[in-house]
Amino acid sequence: MDIQFQEAQAAEGQAGVLLVPLFQGEDAAPAVRALGRGASWLTGHMGLEDFRAEAGKLLLLHGGRKGSVRVLLAGLGRREDFTPKVLGMAMAAAAKRLSGHKLARPALRLESLRALRLAGRGMREHLLEEAVLGARLGLYAHTACKSAAEGEDAPFLPERMDLLYTRPPSAEEQRALRRALSLAEGICLARDLINGPANQVTPRYLEETAAALAGRHGFGFRSHDQEYLRANGLNAFLAVSLGAAAEPRLLVLEYAPPGTKGEDPVILLGKGITFDSGGISLKPAAGMERMKSDMAGAGAVLGLFAALGAGAKDFCRKRVIGLLPCTENMPGGRASRPGDVVKTLSGKTVEIVNTDAEGRLILCDCLTLAQNMARPAALIDIATLTGACVVGLGEKTAGLFSNDPRLRDKLLELAARNGERFWPMPIWDEDLKTLTEKSAADISNTGPREGGASFAALFLKQFVDKTTPWAHLDIAGPAFQSLETPTLPGGGAVGFGLRTLLDFVLE
Ligand code: BES
Ligand code: ZN
Ligand code: MN
């Protein structure tokens, strides 16, 4: 669905339905007045009086005469509970509701957002961004694997949505629209990749996706195969890939805005396990199908590049490198065994006590590689790394680990602004001996079950230079949801982390 600004008068009579957000328990008159004469029939309409505007509730009203504009009231709940995310949810629900109707052109008046009378710096743009993103995400569906039943019409989707204005949109509002549309593009790509089954979304499929993005938008791109891993000493990454028949790939994407070629880059490292069976330390069968989503970190980074390509790069002043180690983790005759020892790219040896702790193995070599490639201004890894993080923080919250308080606080601030739940987690350096003392090598890839998320982070930290600002985002919980919400129809892949990371590179 295209979403664009449109002068209100010029669009008169073309809008199929006006979306009108309302607060619960508040007088609807200002909102109705903001709609202009076309909706004067709404004044005193009983439907309007009956509508309580609870969060997520919708009511479609019309004047009864042909040609009069229809109105879709969207409840926001109580003002005191409001966050911009609530508006996104309401617009998502509204867009979804319209997808069943033959109302060709939904429209939202910028005045309707102003009529909400929400104060705060940048609030207007923020609301606009949230509304646009919500409307787009509300229409997301992963249907690639469903065959159309015979004689069944394709579901009706509105082709475009107008953002109606009487005063031309400000530069900030235009920027908010472009950002939201780019984000939507990126998030939908990430969702498609993460929801896609592992027999289709293989490391080579991710390679093709990255190559296509690079070709379309002029990003730097390189792809390395298993031979490269062997020849260059990325033996921990190699060890994970050995059990799989699918070929591994190490993908490198780069966006350098004009004049930044020599600058220290932001490096985003995304875990790309296209399927995590656990390897020889095989996972139990129940729920294993979910492990197609173990490349959600890589999916978020690819989505971020898609967002840059879709227009966000016009606002980006930083050099950004995406580093994506992609492989399956499978059992097999050549697979790594528990107890195997590998020499990592850093020179440190690792005992693979549990082959299911594979994420840290592919990441540790890439952390070293990232710091060999450049001096990162920030090095951020994003990974569905530990079940322990899900147990500790719940399904909806990601863990944030860092060696740099400034980077940590910045990411927390951006996450809050973007409605993504990240929570600061500790790394206990003094517990390192738990990983090293009883190890047959310099360090083991697993520690005790208790505190598993922090031990994973502590392991990764051994591969990061003290002077490198580094953050580790454990998104095992929020990456893939069993329950649906208006902005996540059908549940499944969220595209989690992309918003915060995009905001970080646009700062
Ligand atoms: N991909 C999993 C972590 C995971 C769990 C992601 C649940 C999403 C939902 C990871 O590779 C893994 O298996 N971790 C192990 C580590 C353990 C063996 C030290 C875990 O969390 O059990
Ligand atoms: Zn995994
Ligand atoms: Mn695993």
Side-chain angles (χ1 to χ4, degrees):
M1 178 172 68
D2 257 0
I3 304 183
Q4 45 200 251
F5 290 115
Q6 175 76 42
E7 205 276 315
Q9 219 129 48
E12 191 87 26
Q14 292 177 37
V17 57
L18 285 175
L19 310 182
V20 183
L22 292 175
F23 278 121
Q24 186 175 346
E26 291 190 10
D27 184 14
V32 170
R33 238 178 289 123
L35 298 180
R37 277 182 304 113
S40 56
W41 56 267
L42 198 53
T43 318
H45 195 290
M46 285 174 71
L48 186 61
E49 276 164 34
D50 293 345
F51 186 62
R52 293 194 45 212
E54 289 147 302
K57 289 280 163 31
L58 300 168
L59 182 64
L60 183 62
L61 297 173
H62 52 78
R65 257 178 310 119
K66 229 185 154 90
S68 80
V69 68
R70 298 165 182 82
V71 168
L72 182 58
L73 304 174
L76 299 178
R78 296 189 183 286
R79 182 180 285 271
E80 57 270 30
D81 301 330
F82 183 79
T83 61
K85 208 172 170 173
V86 174
L87 178 68
M89 290 283 187
M91 289 301 113
K96 178 82 172 182
R97 169 73 175 275
L98 294 179
S99 70
H101 280 263
K102 272 207 180 144
L103 302 165
R105 263 167 87 166
L108 174 67
R109 287 184 155 256
L110 293 183
E111 276 307 321
S112 299
L113 298 182
R114 295 185 186 133
L116 295 175
R117 289 174 292 116
L118 285 159
R121 217 182 106 246
M123 183 53 100
R124 223 198 267 158
E125 298 83 62
H126 196 157
L127 290 179
L128 182 60
E129 179 170 331
E130 209 66 49
V132 168
L133 183 61
R136 283 286 301 266
L137 295 183
L139 297 179
Y140 177 82
H142 183 69
T143 49
C145 301
K146 294 243 187 220
S147 15
E150 205 164 330
E152 198 178 282
D153 285 347
F156 177 84
L157 291 179
E159 253 166 53
R160 69 179 267 189
M161 175 170 149
D162 294 322
L163 299 168
L164 301 178
Y165 63 87
T166 42
R167 252 181 303 139
S170 65
E172 287 74 32
E173 285 171 325
Q174 298 188 28
R175 185 184 143 118
L177 173 61
R178 295 205 54 200
R179 268 183 65 138
L181 291 175
S182 312
L183 255 177
E185 190 91 5
I187 291 177
C188 291
L189 173 69
R191 286 183 178 183
D192 284 344
L193 294 172
I194 300 164
N195 283 324
N199 62 334
Q200 289 170 22
V201 184
T202 58
R204 288 190 48 191
Y205 186 92
L206 295 178
E207 172 188 42
E208 281 165 29
T209 306
L213 283 174
R216 202 167 329 130
H217 305 301
F219 300 138
F221 174 65
R222 263 187 317 228
S223 171
H224 302 294
D225 61 7
Q226 193 172 48
E227 209 25 64
Y228 173 94
L229 304 180
R230 200 174 275 122
N232 290 277
L234 284 79
N235 294 314
F237 181 1
L238 176 69
V240 176
S241 73
L242 290 176
E247 295 170 43
R249 287 289 184 268
L250 171 59
L251 309 175
V252 190
L253 276 165
E254 173 168 356
Y255 173 61
T260 62
K261 257 282 163 227
E263 273 178 24
D264 295 345
V266 171
I267 303 190
L268 304 174
L269 167 57
K271 172 177 173 182
I273 296 290
T274 56
F275 188 73
D276 184 9
S277 71
I280 298 297
S281 314
L282 195 65
K283 284 182 183 297
M288 205 205 275
E289 72 283 358
R290 249 194 73 164
M291 283 299 130
K292 68 178 181 181
S293 66
D294 211 19
M295 37 57 71
V301 176
L302 282 170
L304 179 134
F305 275 88
L308 287 175
K313 72 173 186 294
D314 296 351
F315 314 121
C316 180
R317 315 241 80 93
K318 290 183 187 156
R319 183 175 164 216
V320 187
I321 294 179
L323 202 53
L324 310 172
C326 305
T327 178
E328 290 182 338
N329 182 27
M330 297 289 273
R334 291 178 210 274
S336 295
R337 294 146 289 251
D340 281 2
V341 172
V342 292
K343 193 177 183 96
T344 63
L345 181 59
S346 74
K348 283 191 178 58
T349 56
V350 172
E351 182 184 5
I352 305 173
V353 171
N354 189 319
T355 65
D356 198 11
E358 84 296 341
R360 64 199 78 181
L361 294 175
I362 66 172
L363 293 178
C364 73
D365 274 343
C366 290
L367 287 169
T368 307
L369 186 70
Q371 296 165 103
N372 290 348
M373 276 164 68
R375 207 180 63 181
L379 173 54
I380 305 175
D381 73 73
I382 175 164
T384 46
L385 204 68
T386 67
C389 201
V390 193
V391 173
L393 296 176
E395 257 215 311
K396 292 195 275 191
T397 307
L400 173 64
F401 303 81
S402 182
N403 65 351
D404 183 309
R406 274 188 48 209
L407 177 60
R408 181 198 57 205
D409 291 348
K410 179 92 260 172
L411 288 169
L412 286 173
E413 175 202 327
L414 297 179
R417 178 158 104 194
N418 281 283
E420 292 190 315
R421 268 158 59 171
F422 280 94
W423 199 252
M425 294 280 282
I427 302 177
W428 302 108
D429 296 321
E430 70 226 54
D431 290 349
L432 183 60
K433 50 185 179 313
T434 313
L435 295 180
T436 56
E437 267 179 0
K438 275 182 262 158
S439 181
D442 295 338
I443 190 168
S444 288
N445 78 330
T446 27
R449 226 164 54 90
E450 295 77 12
S454 283
F455 275 111
L458 180 62
F459 177 92
L460 293 178
K461 195 179 173 193
Q462 305 319 305
F463 299 86
V464 178
D465 199 273
K466 278 186 185 57
T467 60
T468 304
W470 161 71
H472 157 55
L473 314 178
D474 191 336
I475 59 165
F480 198 86
Q481 298 285 298
S482 31
L483 298 178
E484 69 172 346
T485 68
T487 49
L488 190 64
V494 172
F496 191 91
L498 202 161
R499 291 190 69 172
T500 300
L501 290 179
L502 184 66
D503 223 358
F504 183 80
V505 303
L506 298 188
E507 270 270 314

